Amino acid sequence: MSYSKKLILPLIAFVVFFAATGYYLTTKSGKILIVRMLANESFVRKFDLPKRTDWKPEGVRTTAKVSETHGWQTTYARTIHTDTHSSDEMPTAITPAFELDWIAEPTMFVPEGPVFDSDGNIYFSPVFPPENVILVSIEPEKGKRRWVLEGLSGGAGTPFVYTDPVSGKDIIYVGTYDRNVALNTDGSIIYDRSSGLPKLIAGDIYGGNHSYGMSYHLQHDALITVMGDGHLTVVDRETGVSLLKNPFQLPGDKTAVTNIKLSKEMLAKANKDFAYMYGSSGVSKDFDPLGEVFHALFGELQQVTNFFSIDKNTGRIWVAASLPDEEDGNPDGWSEFGALYGMDLVLEGGAYSIQIKHVIKFDGGTSSTPTISADGKRVYVADAFNHLHAVNTTTGKRDWSFEAPDLITGSLTVSSDNGEIYANIRNKVIQIIDHGDHATLGWTAEMEGFVPGRFQRNFKGLGAEVAANGVALTIAVGVIAGKQKLPFKLGAGLLDRKTGKLRYFAGGAEDSVSSIVIGPGGEIYFSNSPLRRIFARATFGNSVSPVKPKGGVTKFKSIHSELLIRDALWAAANRAANAATIINQNLSAGKQDIAQINQLLAQSIATGPRAILEGNLSQSKWLSIETKIHQTQELLAPSETALIKCSKILEEVVDLIENI
């Protein structure tokens, strides 16, 4: 045989092997292998300390009609999405420069919360925890545990913090499927009553038993909780006694999987990584905890997979859920339609009832909490695809629908200024502008928090909470595989409200399916529920994301508190300047502007001592600044002249800080 003929068979074998290898590497398994073998580490981009923002309020803000307790903007988060409207809007400033401070209670998987009392103490409820607890409280300095409320539960959602208008004391309320509990901030129980729903027993717990948290009904001084299976409980706030004669349940059915189906192998690996955050008490052997959370994230397999909202202006309750199965014309046990329910709590003849006033239908379920505008005239909700709907709360008709560039995931953030709405789409945060009769796309946020490693990219982790000086979010770096986001690392960031550019970013965050909340001192907090990072480790191996997943709560603290003072005073100056232009035409809006200015001034005064301790502000400089702040507080009044003077004084103080 000639030499050339001897090479033919090996050559053919090599070509076949090369082709087969090339084809394999184009498959899902092949791509996973490439990432496992060749991915390298990502690094946090270096950011300079942020300059002041150019964003300013313009014109008349959207204003609430009530000024009672919780009527205007809250100074800190009282519910999962800040207030009863689920606005995710804070009147104060976020610390513009920050770093990871601590992660507390890492064995607790927490998909909702946390919230705060007036002293900054933190409260959250874990899901299926390894300990027999419903509610955990930690202190803000080190994240040390203060106390727990024990009990069996499918998860209690986010507690509600109420400041009693008579005593001035905070009360913590938490609602599970079968219990409603009121506690003092020291953990002592005021009452512990049955919710009126069946008592949970071991082996009975599943996603439908999950409480999505408690909120407050101002008009009837009542507390309302919504469960995954569509049940609503309504209790008197002072006594915990149920106000409904019979349990109320929304008329929908479970929604089918419309996004991503996870393999049994993937779920088995992920649940093994998750095992130390998961207690076996109260659940059946074949229960799939991560699968339940994953599908709830996409609005699937339950009637309700999100929080709800209560209009403080009218008391109307808005819940995004599902329609009955028969509505889709295919009676297969699954509902193909989501629905936004508008309901009233009605007292007639001495008896309370829930009455459904509006049902707005849309395709698929939703993981979007309905968000109400400050004036209560409009409620916003996303469907299971990529549409944002603005619904007139009086007529129940859509004022407009907006098609986003991608699937809207999670809840919307609605500002009372400039028609600004912030939506979390699959990989980014976008700004949408409500023009009244239609909406347009504003900016798309800059996501470049990390210098990404090989085969990786930056994408949205958690967002967004809007405040006076920016929009807080988390950014992840990892792999996007079709509809799946698989993060390796995460960090916290602050976006500019005017441009969507990153003002600052710091690494060290954990993954979460909850929402960012801002503490009383401007710190960034969120609960840890590392669902997607656990799936990333199950897919690509632990080496791509070697830090062990952690539950609990994360805090990012201020590292240049003088910049927080600058941002708060700059926001107050701009607010005062704008209020001067509208105070004569809209006194109500002007008064709410003044209330926000006072909140910003109080935040600045509280931050001063911290800035001195950090060594970034001298005692003498702070004395000059504090004197000007007190001067502003004395001058502040609902008059054009006074507001202009206050704005000028505050601008001078900001210039002084920047020249330190």
Side-chain angles (χ1 to χ4, degrees):
M1 182 182 292
S2 68
Y3 180 75
S4 60
K5 289 182 179 179
K6 291 180 180 179
L7 293 176
I8 291 176
L9 289 178
L11 181 61
I12 292 173
F14 175 77
V15 171
V16 170
F17 173 78
F18 185 79
T21 301
Y23 173 76
Y24 173 74
L25 294 178
T26 65
T27 66
K28 182 178 180 180
S29 297
K31 291 176 180 177
I32 290 172
L33 179 62
I34 290 174
V35 174
R36 283 190 177 208
M37 292 175 60
L38 301 177
N40 59 351
E41 192 171 359
S42 301
F43 297 94
V44 174
R45 274 180 55 202
K46 181 176 174 55
F47 283 79
D48 295 329
L49 292 176
K51 305 295 183 184
R52 69 173 90 168
T53 176
D54 290 331
W55 181 89
K56 297 178 181 180
E58 297 177 2
V60 178
R61 71 192 300 163
T62 306
T63 56
K65 301 171 186 174
V66 292
S67 59
E68 293 93 342
T69 301
H70 312 310
W72 288 354
Q73 288 179 306
T74 59
T75 308
Y76 54 87
R78 296 179 184 272
T79 71
I80 183 173
H81 294 296
T82 303
D83 53 27
T84 67
H85 281 211
S86 299
S87 69
D88 280 313
E89 180 181 37
M90 288 286 296
T92 48
I94 302 168
T95 177
F98 42 84
E99 66 181 12
L100 177 66
D101 191 5
W102 48 251
I103 293 178
E105 302 288 348
T107 63
M108 303 281 188
F109 190 88
V110 191
E112 292 125 343
V115 289
F116 311 92
D117 65 23
S118 300
D119 295 323
N121 296 310
I122 301 148
Y123 304 86
F124 67 90
S125 294
V127 171
F128 312 119
E131 299 179 48
N132 185 35
V133 299
I134 291 171
L135 178 67
V136 181
S137 177
I138 57 178
E139 54 81 31
E141 293 305 315
K142 301 294 183 181
K144 292 182 179 179
R145 184 181 291 193
R146 300 175 65 233
W147 50 262
V148 300
L149 174 65
E150 294 185 344
L152 177 71
S153 171
T158 302
F160 172 68
V161 180
Y162 179 86
T163 303
D164 187 280
V166 177
S167 68
K169 295 181 178 179
D170 288 337
I171 304 173
I172 316 303
Y173 297 94
V174 62
T176 71
Y177 197 84
D178 56 358
R179 293 170 67 190
N180 288 293
V181 187
L183 306 100
N184 293 306
T185 57
D186 63 3
S188 58
I189 293 176
I190 300 171
Y191 62 72
D192 186 348
R193 296 186 181 277
S194 168
S195 70
L197 298 180
K199 186 173 180 60
L200 294 179
I201 58 175
D204 232 9
I205 293 175
Y206 72 109
N209 300 142
H210 182 64
S211 157
Y212 282 92
M214 183 174 272
S215 194
Y216 180 61
H217 196 289
L218 178 66
Q219 284 72 14
H220 291 287
D221 195 21
L223 300 169
I224 298 178
T225 307
V226 177
M227 316 300 170
D229 65 1
H231 273 106
L232 271 73
T233 62
V234 183
V235 302
D236 178 77
R237 180 190 62 79
E238 290 189 343
T239 65
V241 173
S242 176
L243 296 180
L244 300 179
K245 185 176 181 180
N246 298 305
F248 176 85
Q249 187 173 23
L250 289 162
D253 287 298
K254 292 182 180 181
T255 55
V257 174
T258 57
N259 280 280
I260 303 165
K261 294 184 178 180
L262 300 171
S263 69
K264 290 183 179 180
E265 180 186 7
M266 166 78 72
L267 283 169
K269 288 182 180 178
N271 279 314
K272 186 176 180 181
D273 208 9
F274 170 60
Y276 80 101
M277 295 185 229
Y278 164 48
S280 59
S281 175
V283 297
S284 60
K285 291 181 180 179
D286 58 351
F287 184 68
D288 170 22
L290 284 185
E292 290 265 346
V293 177
F294 180 84
H295 289 297
L297 184 64
F298 287 99
E300 300 166 344
L301 302 184
Q302 294 297 336
Q303 285 179 246
V304 180
T305 57
N306 50 67
F307 196 57
F308 62 103
S309 299
I310 305 174
D311 184 1
K312 58 197 170 191
N313 300 282
T314 65
R316 181 154 292 172
I317 306 155
W318 293 94
V319 181
S322 62
L323 285 176
D325 174 33
E326 57 266 23
E327 291 284 339
D328 60 28
N330 179 27
D332 58 358
W334 299 99
S335 174
E336 294 182 12
F337 293 125
L340 176 63
Y341 292 89
M343 301 172 288
D344 290 341
L345 177 61
V346 178
L347 175 61
E348 291 179 339
Y352 282 91
S353 65
I354 296 285
Q355 298 182 6
I356 297 175
K357 298 296 184 180
H358 298 301
V359 180
I360 299 94
K361 182 174 73 174
F362 46 80
D363 291 337
T366 178
S367 62
S368 169
T369 296
T371 306
I372 307 169
S373 61
D375 58 10
K377 293 180 179 179
R378 185 165 282 175
V379 58
Y380 304 88
V381 69
D383 59 24
F385 301 97
N386 61 336
H387 299 98
L388 168 61
H389 307 286
V391 176
N392 185 297
T393 56
T394 301
T395 66
K397 304 294 184 182
R398 288 177 177 84
D399 285 337
W400 51 256
S401 294
F402 175 81
E403 186 173 357
D406 204 341
L407 173 73
I408 298 175
T409 60
S411 300
L412 302 155
T413 300
V414 177
S415 172
S416 56
D417 288 306
N418 306 353
E420 295 170 2
I421 301 169
Y422 302 93
N424 305 303
I425 60 175
R426 202 185 300 270
N427 300 322
K428 299 178 180 179
V429 171
I430 59 173
Q431 183 194 61
I432 299 168
I433 305 300
D434 183 353
H435 297 281
D437 59 352
H438 71 287
T440 57
L441 181 65
W443 45 251
T444 298
E446 177 188 10
M447 290 285 133
E448 302 305 313
F450 291 93
V451 178
R454 199 176 293 117
F455 309 117
Q456 300 165 57
R457 57 180 284 194
N458 289 278
F459 51 86
K460 178 191 71 68
L462 190 67
E465 174 88 354
V466 66
N469 64 330
V471 180
L473 79 168
T474 66
I475 295 173
V477 66
V479 172
I480 296 177
K483 293 181 179 180
Q484 281 187 286
K485 300 186 300 183
L486 299 168
F488 297 168
K489 291 182 176 182
L490 296 100
L494 180 65
L495 299 172
D496 190 285
R497 287 183 69 168
K498 184 174 182 179
T499 65
K501 299 293 185 184
L502 266 175
R503 297 185 66 201
Y504 200 76
F505 183 79
E510 181 53 280
D511 188 22
S512 176
V513 299
S514 184
S515 60
I516 285 185
V517 291
I518 307 304
E523 314 92 342
I524 298 172
Y525 290 88
F526 47 88
S527 59
N528 298 339
S529 34
L531 177 76
R532 290 164 291 213
R533 195 163 75 83
I534 288 173
F535 284 136
R537 285 160 57 92
T539 302
F540 298 110
N542 293 354
S543 61
V544 299
S545 188
V547 177
K548 185 177 181 180
K550 295 178 181 178
V553 173
T554 296
K555 175 187 176 182
F556 279 78
K557 67 177 181 179
S558 175
I559 56 172
H560 276 272
S561 294
E562 82 281 3
L563 298 183
L564 175 57
I565 298 169
R566 179 203 65 188
D567 274 20
L569 296 180
W570 181 235
N574 289 324
R575 179 68 61 184
N578 184 70
T581 67
I582 61 96
I583 192 71
N584 294 328
Q585 60 178 300
N586 195 315
L587 182 60
S588 176
K591 285 183 176 180
Q592 291 189 44
D593 283 336
I594 290 170
Q596 184 177 358
I597 292 166
N598 274 318
Q599 287 171 302
L600 289 161
L601 297 180
Q603 182 183 26
S604 301
I605 290 171
T607 306
R610 193 166 73 221
I612 294 170
L613 286 174
E614 291 171 356
N616 296 314
L617 188 64
S618 69
Q619 184 72 51
S620 59
K621 287 288 186 183
W622 170 239
L623 182 59
S624 299
I625 293 167
E626 189 177 28
T627 299
K628 292 289 187 182
I629 294 172
H630 288 310
Q631 182 183 353
T632 304
Q633 289 174 319
E634 292 173 3
L635 282 172
L636 196 56
S639 87
E640 181 179 349
T641 302
L643 288 164
I644 291 172
K645 286 182 179 178
C646 289
S647 178
K648 295 297 184 184
I649 293 170
L650 294 174
E651 286 180 10
E652 291 173 4
V653 178
V654 171
D655 288 338
L656 175 64
I657 295 172
E658 291 201 326
N659 290 325
I660 291 175

